[in-house]
Amino acid sequence: MTGKTTLFTLLTGIEPAHHARNEVQIGIAKVPDPRLDKLTAMYNPKKRVPATVEYMDIAGIEKGEAAKVLPIDKLRSADALAHVVRGFVDEAVPHSEGDVDPARDVLTMETEFILADMVVVEKRIQKLKLQIMKVQDADDKKELAIMERCLEALEAETPLRNLDLSEDDLRRIRGYTFLSLKPLLVVVNADEEDSGKLAEGAAAFGLGDLEKRPGTHVIALSAKIEAEIAQLEQDEAAEFRSDLGIGDPALDRSIQGSYDLLGLISFFTVGEDECRAWTIRKGTVAQKAAGVIHSDIERGFIRAELVAYDDLMAAGTWHDCRDKGTLRLEGKEYVFKDGDVVNFRFNV
Ligand SMILES: Nc1nc2c(ncn2[C@@H]2O[C@H](COP(=O)(O)OP(=O)(O)OP(=O)(O)O)[C@@H](O)[C@H]2O)c(=O)[nH]1
Ligand SMILES: [Mg+2]
């Protein structure tokens, strides 16, 4: 027990149901975004709609029993994994390894993911070899080469996300939903006593090296303290934080960390009815971004009328952006940037 459900409840507001140990709980967290707060203050809309991230809460495993209880299929369906590791000492809460050692526990879980991936890779390699003996197919050969690279990495206990795979390689193996390829958020659930170390982050908990790996992000927090803070009014909470020397809200950082790891960015729509953050992947072009709002807007796309968030703040109003020339008209191939404030022109 590391505090996964405690954290899940804090992030999503869903109280721990009395579900069976193997059942998976799903919940939605609102992505905190100070920019949306500013836009809401500017437009005073009837509705404020933040971006969201969906979390799944699963039961923890004991060492070596992963295949028995880890719901691998559920994990495979996720876009990223969050591993909550035990950093707090509490005799009353059982720990599968007996003592507290975040670095060891991260490795234990990683080994489970690597073993699960290895099974899939080995099967696939066998099948590909047989197929290639029958028919010399270029795509099969390419996939075999990638799979062999993957196997070599896994045998060296290296997670697949550490490999420098090309876009084309990734496309070819996407369907296998490898666990060790998924972006990983490690959350150290630290002891209340260590609140002074939280601001230092990963290094203070022996996870400094992990933080440097590709697709990996480490956050340290105390679920217990966060649960106490969640009961407080905003002013009190801020005071409590500064007394304990804890920086910005850890839950906000967890959600933002998830969002970044997933390669997601936000664009905004604004107006008197609604100010809203919309979620797209980095690299999404204007016409596709329009489709996130409605398929009609994508189909009938004419232009995106937009301004960068900072420019809108600097100018003060949409109208002033037009005067200053920071308001632009972009076509369907324009690549959206994080924080673009947009009004789509479309025709259906
Ligand atoms: N002292 C202390 N106790 C905590 C902390 N976080 C969670 N707990 C306690 O640890 C116990 C287990 O917490 P859960 O959140 O249910 O742990 P879990 O990881 O979901 O456990 P499993 O689902 O069984 O794997 C509860 O009694 C919590 O109150 C913490 O930061 N400090
Ligand atoms: Mg739980």
Side-chain angles (χ1 to χ4, degrees):
M1 292 185 169
T2 62
K4 294 180 294 300
T5 300
T6 307
L7 184 61
F8 176 82
T9 299
L10 286 166
L11 292 172
T12 64
I14 295 180
E15 294 295 332
H18 300 284
H19 55 278
R21 210 176 125 81
N22 283 340
E23 255 170 48
V24 172
Q25 185 72 245
I26 290 178
I28 307 276
K30 295 180 177 129
V31 179
D33 192 333
R35 296 173 302 184
L36 185 61
D37 299 336
K38 286 269 172 60
L39 291 169
T40 305
M42 190 181 253
Y43 282 88
N44 202 15
K46 295 192 193 87
K47 255 171 77 189
R48 172 190 179 280
V49 187
T52 57
V53 173
E54 189 182 277
Y55 288 94
M56 283 194 291
D57 180 31
I58 65 163
I61 53 157
E62 299 297 316
K63 195 177 183 182
E65 66 162 340
K68 271 176 279 164
V69 291
L70 249 196
I72 296 276
D73 290 349
K74 296 282 190 214
L75 292 177
R76 289 204 189 287
S77 74
D79 295 317
L81 302 173
H83 181 192
V84 182
V85 288
R86 180 84 175 247
F88 66 88
V89 181
D90 190 336
E91 294 295 329
V93 181
H95 187 310
S96 61
E97 305 268 352
D99 62 335
V100 167
D101 183 347
R104 174 202 57 205
D105 294 349
V106 170
L107 277 181
T108 303
M109 185 58 80
E110 185 163 274
T111 304
E112 297 298 341
F113 293 159
I114 285 174
L115 289 173
D117 287 348
M118 216 189 265
V119 172
V120 177
V121 171
E122 279 172 342
K123 267 201 199 136
R124 186 63 194 157
I125 286 179
Q126 270 186 353
K127 193 151 178 222
L128 281 168
K129 280 185 174 163
L130 281 176
Q131 246 162 258
I132 291 169
M133 276 200 302
K134 282 186 228 148
V135 192
Q136 296 278 325
D137 181 82
D139 280 326
D140 283 349
K141 283 183 181 170
K142 271 194 189 136
E143 194 189 319
L144 180 62
I146 305 167
M147 287 293 177
E148 281 177 334
R149 232 182 114 195
C150 288
L151 184 60
E152 198 183 326
L154 295 168
E155 280 173 346
E157 290 171 44
T158 305
L160 297 178
R161 75 178 78 80
N162 281 30
L163 287 181
D164 192 18
L165 295 166
S166 70
E167 282 298 319
D168 183 59
D169 293 345
L170 289 170
R171 190 182 52 76
R172 285 171 192 275
I173 63 170
R174 190 160 40 204
Y176 302 102
T177 56
F178 292 124
L179 298 177
S180 73
L181 186 60
K182 293 184 190 295
L184 177 69
L185 180 69
V186 173
V187 182
V188 183
N189 188 7
D191 206 280
E192 305 92 273
E193 303 284 309
D194 288 337
S195 64
K197 282 163 64 180
L198 292 176
E200 287 170 56
F205 299 91
L207 298 174
D209 289 345
L210 200 67
E211 177 91 325
K212 292 183 202 118
R213 289 198 201 163
T216 310
H217 188 57
V218 184
I219 289 171
L221 53 77
S222 162
K224 193 157 189 180
I225 295 176
E226 292 301 326
E228 281 167 28
I229 290 176
Q231 308 293 325
L232 302 175
E233 297 293 328
Q234 228 171 19
D235 302 353
E236 284 178 317
E239 203 180 308
F240 190 54
R241 274 183 205 291
S242 76
D243 285 350
L244 288 172
I246 306 176
D248 53 336
L251 299 176
D252 290 4
R253 268 186 293 129
S254 307
I255 303 170
Q256 277 157 355
S258 314
Y259 204 68
D260 293 345
L261 264 179
L262 292 167
L264 302 175
I265 57 174
S266 297
F267 71 86
F268 302 102
T269 53
V270 292
E272 280 162 19
D273 278 341
E274 180 184 272
C275 285
R276 181 161 183 166
W278 302 86
T279 303
I280 48 174
R281 290 196 180 276
K282 279 177 202 152
T284 301
V285 296
Q287 190 170 17
K288 288 282 171 221
V292 174
I293 300 180
H294 200 287
S295 55
D296 283 350
I297 309 182
E298 180 176 348
R299 237 178 330 118
F301 182 95
I302 301 171
R303 283 263 182 282
E305 190 183 30
L306 61 84
V307 57
Y309 168 82
D310 287 336
D311 289 338
L312 177 56
M313 285 298 138
T317 70
W318 191 263
H319 207 85
D320 290 328
C321 293
R322 193 167 280 144
D323 293 344
K324 288 192 168 187
T326 48
L327 189 74
R328 291 127 55 201
L329 281 176
E330 299 283 1
K332 58 185 176 189
E333 293 301 328
Y334 167 76
V335 176
F336 261 50
K337 295 202 179 62
D338 188 34
D340 279 344
V341 185
V342 60
N343 175 27
F344 288 108
R345 302 236 184 117
F346 64 105
N347 186 2
V348 280

